[in-house]
Amino acid sequence: AGNLKKRGRIINTKIKITRRMALKNISLLLGASIPLAKIELLSAAVNDKHFAPQFFNSDEFMMVSNMVDLIIPRSDTPGALDAFVNNYIDMMLSEWASSDTQKKYHLGVAKLNNAVKKEFSLNFNDCDRQQQINFLTNIDNYSDTNTDKNIQFFHDFKWFVISGYYTSKEGASMELNYDPMPGIYRGCLPYTKVDKAWSA
């Protein structure tokens, strides 16, 4: 297990998370059952700097990318953008999310942007980084039990980012202590190197 880092941005939790927890959480967030092996394959498939979003339009995708970067920015290890979590979210919503979840994310992004407009008279993408941080931090500081739709949506979105990050190569191999198979298999070693056989 690994502790979510305190990166001085939006993550505000002491919850421990494992790669398996992250994989399972994706299915819950999308409202659809997805084989864990498929999720891992998709994580690898989105690692493309020239990725063309299929679910979000260009403005929405830029906003999602900005939020992804603020939630887990680069530090001494790669951030969520380095792990292409923005691409991952778009692909998962486009190809695997239930129709209700798809509506929720289109509407959620739009409502968050409208809330930013009310506060700063600017779209989220036009705000400077500190304004973006202040806005999202304020929302994140509310309890998960708060009934405000923007707060609920952002908390879900944050978990989408966290889960996507810890199913990525960067998150799993650099942020967590990850061993894909316990021990190392070395075949065809000379008998003198493997020493005695084990008794039955």
Side-chain angles (χ1 to χ4, degrees):
N3 285 315
L4 293 179
K5 289 185 172 182
K6 289 185 177 179
R7 296 169 176 265
R9 292 292 187 270
I10 307 304
I11 289 181
N12 182 22
T13 179
K14 295 180 180 177
I15 295 172
K16 288 186 176 181
I17 188 168
T18 65
R19 182 175 171 83
R20 181 166 294 278
M21 286 168 57
L23 287 165
K24 289 182 177 180
N25 205 35
I26 288 292
S27 293
L28 295 174
L29 289 166
L30 293 176
S33 179
I34 308 172
L36 298 186
K38 187 67 176 178
I39 294 176
E40 290 181 313
L41 287 174
L42 285 170
S43 295
V46 297
N47 292 359
D48 183 359
K49 292 181 180 179
H50 305 292
F51 177 84
Q54 301 298 312
F55 182 76
F56 294 111
N57 64 36
S58 58
D59 289 336
E60 290 170 337
F61 188 65
M62 183 181 293
M63 180 174 171
V64 164
S65 299
N66 285 328
M67 291 195 294
V68 163
D69 186 39
L70 290 171
I71 290 169
I72 307 181
R74 182 186 300 169
S75 60
D76 55 320
T77 56
L81 279 188
D82 297 310
F84 301 99
V85 173
N86 51 338
N87 299 357
Y88 176 80
I89 289 172
D90 185 89
M91 180 178 284
M92 295 301 284
L93 288 172
S94 174
E95 298 188 12
W96 287 95
S98 66
S99 58
D100 286 344
T101 301
Q102 289 177 331
K103 290 176 184 176
K104 169 186 170 181
Y105 275 84
H106 274 309
L107 188 61
V109 168
K111 285 188 171 182
L112 271 186
N113 192 52
N114 286 337
V116 173
K117 281 184 181 179
K118 287 182 180 178
E119 186 167 344
F120 300 113
S121 299
L122 293 168
N123 289 313
F124 187 87
N125 294 331
D126 296 324
C127 290
D128 63 40
R129 191 172 181 86
Q130 192 57 53
Q131 288 174 318
Q132 293 173 349
I133 290 170
N134 291 345
F135 177 79
L136 295 182
T137 301
N138 184 51
I139 290 178
D140 191 52
N141 284 338
Y142 282 97
S143 167
D144 287 336
T145 59
N146 194 294
T147 58
D148 184 279
K149 295 297 183 184
N150 281 334
I151 294 169
Q152 291 180 344
F153 171 76
F154 179 70
H155 286 185
D156 283 350
F157 179 83
K158 184 176 73 171
W159 272 110
F160 204 162
V161 174
I162 292 168
S163 297
Y165 182 66
Y166 286 107
T167 58
S168 71
K169 177 182 177 182
E170 290 79 3
S173 64
M174 299 181 192
E175 177 85 5
L176 298 178
N177 290 322
Y178 174 61
D179 189 357
M181 187 176 84
I184 299 172
Y185 174 74
R186 296 186 179 93
C188 302
L189 288 175
Y191 177 75
T192 55
K193 289 193 177 183
V194 295
D195 203 13
K196 297 178 181 179
W198 289 96
S199 61

